[in-house]
Amino acid sequence: MGGAPTHVVAVPSTRGRPGPHPLQQMVGDRLGLPWLAAVPNPRYGPEARRFQRDWFSVRLPDPAGSARPLVLDDTWTTGSRAQSLAHTLKTAGATTVGVVVLGRHVNPEHAASRPLLTLIEEPVFDLTVCAVER
């Protein structure tokens, strides 16, 4: 990443939830990094699934070019929101951007989760194969 992260930022919800992002509430100051605020462009709603250069706005602290933000995302479907925020951070002057996606346990008894679980069951899901290079 070009050095340790200097800031942390959560990919904002596009559903318009008021208050701090749940990841910010969970992580708090445990990382010992200041939080950046990313603001979503209201033009893109929760159904948007493609990279958008103007999906988010964010202000980096001075001096420009010294920030190495760590982006936290609570879901990874297409990666478009995390990628859009990383683009915004780089455009704003970040030297490097790291992304960590925090997952959660999927309840196999939940009917709406079955299609997802079916897609990742063996033999389709193989820990020895890199999804990027497949």
Side-chain angles (χ1 to χ4, degrees):
M1 199 176 138
T6 58
H7 299 81
V8 64
V9 58
V11 174
S13 168
T14 55
R15 299 194 188 280
R17 283 185 289 212
H21 190 283
L23 285 178
Q24 186 172 357
Q25 291 177 310
M26 289 186 326
V27 173
D29 63 356
R30 288 179 179 84
L31 296 176
L33 299 171
W35 284 85
L36 297 173
V39 179
N41 182 337
R43 195 165 110 189
Y44 304 107
E47 62 285 335
R49 297 281 185 259
R50 294 179 187 246
F51 169 83
Q52 303 295 335
R53 293 178 185 277
D54 64 342
W55 204 335
F56 302 105
S57 60
V58 66
R59 259 188 205 233
L60 293 180
D62 288 329
S66 64
R68 295 183 305 274
L70 176 64
V71 174
L72 300 181
D73 198 354
D74 62 358
T75 187
W76 188 274
T77 305
T78 65
S80 62
R81 290 183 184 139
Q83 290 171 343
S84 296
L85 181 53
H87 172 80
T88 296
L89 290 162
K90 288 290 286 180
T91 301
T95 56
T96 58
V97 177
V99 177
V100 173
V101 180
L102 303 172
R104 62 177 82 150
H105 175 73
V106 178
N107 181 355
E109 305 302 319
H110 185 244
S113 298
R114 277 306 318 150
L116 171 65
L117 292 173
T118 301
L119 286 174
I120 62 173
E121 288 175 348
E122 295 290 342
V124 174
F125 185 73
D126 184 351
L127 290 173
T128 64
V129 176
C130 175
V132 174
E133 296 183 20
R134 188 167 209 190

